[in-house]
Amino acid sequence: MGLGEDTYLLGGRALLPGGEFAAADLRLRNGVIAEIEPGLRPASDSAVVEVTGFVMPGLIDAHTHVSWAGREPMPNTWAGVVGRARGNRLRMLAAGVTTIRDVGSLDGVAFEQSGGPACFCANQIVCAVGGHGTETAEAWAGLPKLAREARGADAFRAAVRYQADRGAHLVKLTLNAAELEVTPEEAAAAVDEAHRLGRRVACHASIPDAIDIAIEAGADTIEHGNGATPAQLRRMAAAGIVLVPTAWIFERFLDEARRADAGAVGERAWPPPVEIWEARVAAHREVVGDAVAAGVVLAAGTDAIEGCDPDSLADEILTLHRLGLEPIDALRAATEGGAAALGDPGRGALREGAAADVVVFEASPRDVVRDRIRPAMVFQGGRRIR
């Protein structure tokens, strides 16, 4: 199934823009979707795939850390880190993730691409001195840093410029850990500098005060958004700010922290302690439904870090469903929502002329979400990867 020949995906249904789920055939050619309509008739020399389930756009993980994710501890060499990131990307692609938004990895590693999903990266995290993003500095001594620390508006501007000079596609700004760490003036300066340089800004904000600062500063996306009030969500909707809840990771680490507190052998409780995880999970329970009611666009992101599998997007999709999204809407959060987070409406939808990033499932959307079924086939740029 090469780029110069037609590949037909026939006989199934398709998840189309806006959540329409209808019978449709696809013709892929030269890396793009050439046709979408029912009843396509392939030429005799075309490659044909009979679809028994449905097709949908390639998945987008809107909150990844390509060098951080993985069950094993971080390697202590640059070559090891690059290899870990490459392995993570290949696992993501095999799971149907054709695009990722990397919102913080060791300085430079996200640019070391060879295979895997298309990567839009922030390079390092921009944070306060000693702030969220620096927790691993001692353990990873000798490796390039995960975070660029700053104090004062000018320093935050300089930290943003450093990421842009390194080639970052966007900027990741962390505003809080357990408490607020960045001032409104610092956040406003960072966002203004990023926008001046043509970069979108993803703001980590997992407490209400940080959410207020992110909204006021003009962030493009808010990561986590725990405890966001209906009023804050209405302001986000009005400003076009996308919410990336990463709900699964909070539940994952709450469970891990509880097992560690109970003395489970081999369990690692990533800071902060169990009480903080409980508060974050509780603060998420109403946010997803309130966000939908307010008209906020949701994007699915894993936030998988050390101790987590990189190909966990199905877990986040399932969690969004459990928090109230219909299965198709949970899948849209991992396609159209991800494209909105990237600011790239050309991605995340099956449209004629769009890149032929397509996944094929041999089940219904409901079963795919509830049972975390992996795709039977993955096409990236028209090439069959799986």
Side-chain angles (χ1 to χ4, degrees):
M1 298 182 184
L3 293 180
E5 65 180 14
D6 288 327
T7 298
Y8 286 82
L9 308 180
L10 303 179
R13 296 170 71 88
L15 180 55
L16 300 171
E20 182 183 359
F21 189 62
D25 298 330
L26 275 68
R27 178 169 68 90
L28 315 181
R29 185 177 180 84
N30 293 328
V32 302
I33 300 172
E35 285 185 279
I36 305 176
E37 62 178 84
L40 291 179
R41 296 175 178 268
S44 58
D45 58 348
S46 300
V48 175
V49 174
E50 296 292 341
V51 177
T52 59
F54 73 101
V55 299
M56 64 174 288
L59 300 169
I60 300 173
D61 189 335
H63 191 119
T64 66
H65 300 281
V66 293
S67 67
W68 200 352
R71 293 276 181 169
E72 300 301 318
M74 180 69 74
N76 59 10
T77 66
W78 176 249
V81 171
V82 171
R84 177 189 182 99
R86 183 176 187 275
N88 286 345
R89 289 196 302 268
L90 293 176
R91 284 185 61 176
M92 293 176 192
L93 184 58
V97 177
T98 56
T99 303
I100 60 174
R101 191 176 67 137
D102 184 90
V103 290
S105 284
L106 300 183
D107 191 3
V109 72
F111 305 124
E112 299 281 343
Q113 293 191 58
S114 56
C119 181
F120 294 80
C121 66
N123 196 39
Q124 293 174 298
I125 292 167
V126 175
C127 68
V129 174
H132 182 49
T134 65
E135 295 90 346
T136 60
E138 183 177 348
W140 297 350
L143 293 172
K145 290 185 176 181
L146 173 68
R148 192 86 172 176
E149 300 170 71
R151 178 182 289 120
D154 290 344
F156 271 87
R157 287 183 182 274
V160 167
R161 287 196 298 274
Y162 177 83
Q163 309 313 320
D165 289 345
R166 291 285 279 149
H169 305 97
L170 63 139
V171 170
K172 169 67 174 299
L173 176 64
T174 61
L175 301 182
N176 72 282
E179 304 292 339
L180 196 62
E181 298 174 337
V182 175
T183 69
E185 294 76 19
E186 290 169 334
V191 174
D192 178 71
E193 190 71 10
H195 288 171
R196 186 183 70 81
L197 296 170
R199 269 61 172 188
R200 291 169 65 81
V201 180
C203 270
H204 166 110
S206 57
I207 58 176
D209 286 348
I211 294 168
D212 271 336
I213 290 176
I215 295 170
E216 288 295 332
D220 299 288
T221 69
I222 288 178
E223 313 302 302
H224 317 305
N226 310 68
T229 66
Q232 288 175 321
L233 292 164
R234 288 192 294 271
R235 292 171 62 202
M236 288 175 61
I241 300 172
V242 176
L243 176 63
V244 189
T246 68
W248 162 76
I249 197 69
F250 290 94
E251 296 185 1
R252 159 68 189 261
F253 279 119
L254 171 58
D255 180 62
E256 185 174 296
R258 284 173 171 165
R259 286 183 292 178
D261 280 3
V265 177
E267 291 298 336
R268 177 188 61 84
W270 185 82
V274 64
E275 293 81 8
I276 297 296
W277 292 119
E278 287 176 337
R280 295 289 190 268
V281 169
H284 250 150
R285 290 196 180 110
E286 305 301 324
V287 167
V288 169
D290 288 346
V292 171
V296 176
V297 174
L298 297 176
T302 56
D303 198 14
I305 59 173
E306 188 175 309
C308 303
D309 292 321
D311 50 347
S312 298
L313 189 58
D315 293 289
E316 176 66 8
I317 293 169
L318 174 60
T319 303
L320 292 175
H321 171 52
R322 287 174 173 166
L323 290 172
L325 293 190
E326 291 296 323
I328 281 180
D329 290 327
L331 292 171
R332 290 177 65 205
T335 52
E336 294 176 48
L342 289 167
D344 185 356
R347 293 181 183 270
L350 299 180
R351 295 189 181 95
E352 292 183 1
D357 294 346
V358 179
V359 291
V360 180
F361 289 98
E362 294 178 345
S364 70
R366 183 172 298 276
D367 288 342
V368 164
V369 171
R370 289 184 172 179
D371 298 333
R372 295 177 296 178
I373 295 173
R374 295 172 78 87
M377 299 178 199
V378 179
F379 294 83
Q380 185 185 42
R383 295 186 182 275
R384 185 172 174 179
I385 305 300
R386 175 180 173 180

